[in-house]
Amino acid sequence: MEHSLIIARYGELGLKSPKVRGRFERKLSSNIKAAFNCEIDINQARIFIFPENFDEALSKLHKIFGIVSFSPAISTYSNFDDIEKTMSKYLDKLIDEGLICSDTPFAIRCRRVGKHDFSSQELAAFAGSVVVKKLGCPVDLTNPRFEIFIEVRDNETYIFHEKIKGPGGLPLGTQGKLISLVSSGIDSPVATYLMMKRGCEIIALHFDNDPYTKPKSEEKFESIVEQLKSYSSGVSFRSRVVKYGDYLKKCKEDAPEKMTCILCKSGMYKIAGMLAEDMNALGVVDGSSVGQVASQTLPNILATRDDVEVPILSPLIGLDKVEIEKIAKKIGTYDISKEYDGGCSAVPRYPETKADVERVRNAKEDINQEELVNKAFGSIIFKNSI
C-alpha cells in the first residue's frame, strides 16, 4: 500500500517542561534523520515523517529510542467529501490486501485537534457509514477484528490502520555518557541496551582475559557491539578493549584462589572508573543481577565496588535469567551470546560468595592492585566507532 507519511508518537517526553521537551524533540528528530533520509515536522506530540524510502523507514523506526509507536498513513483534507473519497480508496487497498471483507467486525477510532464543524463522534459515525456502504461489514466498537484510525489536525486528516510498537524510552544522547562493561555473555548487552533506551550514549569496555579465554570471546564481543550499534542512530557508539590477562594471572598467583572472581570484578570497576573520568562519562554500567552468579551476591557486590569513585548502574539487578533472555532475544544479541566460546578458565572451583570488605582490601594490597590496574589501563585498545 502506498502511504503519504508516517506518524510517530512519543510517550514520557510529553511530560517534560516545554523547554526540555523541545530539546528532546530536536534530538529525536536528529536521530531519525540520521537513520534514513526524510523530512520531519513535530507538532503537538506527533512526529510527522516524510521518508524517501518507506520500507527503510519502517524497518529502522523499530530501533529509534523515544518512539512509542508509529503508523504509516495517508492524508487528506478535513472535510467530509475529501474524507469519504480518501476512505473509499483506502478501503480498496485494504480489500486487495485481504485485511477487511464483508464479514469483518470493525470500528472507527477518531480523534481531533483544532476547531471543526463536526465532533469526533460525528466523524467516526460518518466514516463508519462509508465502510458499511462499501462493504456491508458489521460495526463492533467493543471487540472489533479490524480498526481504522482517523486523526484530524486542523485542516489535515490522516487515516491509518496500524499502530506499530516502537522501543520507547528517551531519545539517545539526551542523558550523558556511560562506560558499559560488555562481555561476550547474555546479560551485559541487555544492560547496555536498557541504558541506551534511557537516552545514554555508550562506550563499551571489554576485558580480554587471554590466556584464560579464547579468541572466540573477542569475536562475539565485536558482533555484539555491531548489533548494539544498530540502535545508536544519531549518536556515536564507541568501544574499548583492555588486555587483562596479566592482571588475572597475578590474582591467581598471589591471592587466595577463591578470591579470583572478586578481585577480577574489582579491577574491572576500577579501570572502568578511570576510563569514565578520562572520557567525561558520568558512570559505569554492568549486567549484575542479585544472586545470579557467585560474584553477584550482595556481599560480593558491596566488596567489588568498595573504592570505585563513579556511580555503577545495574539495570538488571532485579531481573531473573528468563526475563533477561527474553530481552536479549528481542534485541538480537541472544543468539550471538549463546555461541560457545569456552568460558573463562580462571574461575575457581569454589568461588567466594560472602566476601568481607576488609579481607578484599587486604587481598588487593597483596597483589598491588593499583599498579596492576594502571598497567592494564595503559593497554586499552581504541576500537572503531560510529
Side-chain angles (χ1 to χ4, degrees):
M1 181 180 294
E2 294 182 5
H3 296 100
S4 309
L5 75 163
I6 299 170
I7 302 173
R9 307 165 191 88
Y10 55 69
E12 61 188 289
L13 270 68
L15 303 177
K16 307 296 182 184
S17 68
K19 183 177 180 180
V20 174
R21 184 171 65 247
R23 177 166 61 86
F24 281 26
E25 286 177 341
R26 289 190 293 274
K27 184 56 182 167
L28 179 54
S29 176
S30 173
N31 291 350
I32 294 171
K33 288 180 177 179
F36 52 87
N37 293 327
C38 63
E39 296 295 327
I40 290 179
D41 178 37
I42 299 181
N43 186 15
Q44 297 174 317
R46 290 290 185 269
I47 307 165
F48 299 95
I49 305 169
F50 303 89
E52 291 185 6
N53 184 316
F54 268 85
D55 289 339
E56 179 188 27
L58 293 173
S59 172
K60 292 188 175 180
L61 284 171
H62 286 282
K63 295 185 176 183
I64 305 293
F65 294 115
I67 294 177
V68 172
S69 67
F70 55 96
S71 302
I74 60 173
S75 64
T76 187
Y77 295 110
S78 299
N79 62 75
F80 278 19
D81 285 342
D82 284 306
I83 290 172
E84 180 175 13
K85 292 175 184 175
T86 306
M87 274 286 294
S88 182
K89 292 179 182 178
Y90 194 70
L91 287 168
D92 287 337
K93 295 175 181 178
L94 294 176
I95 294 167
D96 289 343
E97 294 182 12
L99 296 174
I100 191 171
C101 61
S102 61
D103 61 354
T104 305
F106 80 99
I108 302 290
R109 309 299 188 193
C110 180
R111 58 178 296 169
R112 292 181 308 113
V113 174
K115 294 183 178 181
H116 305 90
D117 58 4
F118 52 84
S119 67
S120 297
Q121 188 174 0
E122 287 171 338
L123 176 56
F126 172 76
S129 70
V130 174
V131 179
V132 172
K133 183 168 64 175
K134 191 174 187 73
L135 286 171
C137 48
V139 176
D140 186 344
L141 300 181
T142 303
N143 189 32
R145 205 160 69 209
F146 192 79
E147 293 178 300
I148 298 174
F149 301 89
I150 302 177
E151 285 202 16
V152 182
R153 291 181 172 260
D154 297 320
N155 294 324
E156 294 286 332
T157 292
Y158 306 97
I159 302 171
F160 54 92
H161 68 278
E162 293 179 283
K163 284 189 177 180
I164 304 167
K165 191 174 181 180
L170 297 174
L172 193 65
T174 59
Q175 302 299 308
K177 285 186 289 189
L178 292 171
I179 307 298
S180 187
L181 304 181
V182 180
S183 69
S184 59
I186 293 172
D187 300 344
S188 58
V190 173
T192 303
Y193 168 87
L194 290 178
M195 295 315 300
M196 293 171 71
K197 184 176 178 178
R198 297 311 302 162
C200 298
E201 177 185 342
I202 294 295
I203 300 159
L205 179 61
H206 182 71
F207 290 81
D208 177 4
N209 294 338
D210 181 62
Y212 300 102
T213 55
K214 297 181 179 179
K216 181 67 175 176
S217 176
E218 305 306 306
E219 294 172 13
K220 286 173 62 178
F221 165 70
E222 292 175 1
S223 296
I224 287 167
V225 164
E226 287 304 310
Q227 181 62 20
L228 290 172
K229 279 183 179 181
S230 69
Y231 292 90
S232 192
S233 172
V235 178
S236 64
F237 187 110
R238 290 166 283 182
S239 59
R240 306 287 185 266
V241 174
V242 180
K243 295 294 183 181
Y244 207 53
D246 289 345
Y247 177 92
L248 263 182
K249 184 173 184 290
K250 193 72 172 175
C251 292
K252 290 187 71 66
E253 291 178 350
D254 293 354
E257 183 183 16
K258 65 187 302 185
M259 298 282 282
T260 300
C261 292
I262 302 293
L263 293 172
C264 175
K265 199 62 174 285
S266 172
M268 288 181 176
Y269 287 143
K270 292 284 286 185
I271 293 169
M274 294 165 67
L275 185 61
E277 182 177 353
D278 188 60
M279 301 194 70
N280 297 315
L282 301 177
V284 173
V285 183
D286 83 337
S288 293
S289 169
V290 171
Q292 189 175 121
V293 294
S295 64
Q296 294 173 19
T297 63
L298 283 177
N300 288 0
I301 288 174
L302 175 63
T304 54
R305 304 180 184 194
D306 173 44
D307 56 353
V308 182
E309 297 180 358
V310 298
I312 298 175
L313 309 178
S314 301
L316 309 184
I317 201 73
L319 302 185
D320 62 30
K321 199 66 176 181
V322 173
E323 292 169 312
I324 296 168
E325 289 180 351
K326 183 178 179 180
I327 300 172
K329 290 173 182 177
K330 183 182 77 171
I331 68 176
T333 58
Y334 180 81
D335 288 340
I336 302 171
S337 297
K338 283 294 287 182
E339 293 178 18
Y340 182 69
D341 59 13
C344 178
S345 62
V347 176
R349 184 176 181 182
Y350 300 108
E352 178 65 71
T353 59
K354 294 182 179 180
D356 175 78
V357 173
E358 205 55 48
R359 286 194 296 114
V360 174
R361 288 174 181 170
N362 292 335
K364 289 192 287 189
E365 289 181 7
D366 290 341
I367 66 170
N368 196 356
Q369 186 189 64
E370 184 174 354
E371 179 181 331
L372 291 173
V373 297
N374 284 330
K375 180 180 178 182
F377 185 77
S379 76
I380 289 179
I381 300 171
F382 288 64
K383 294 287 186 175
N384 294 333
S385 62
I386 61 169

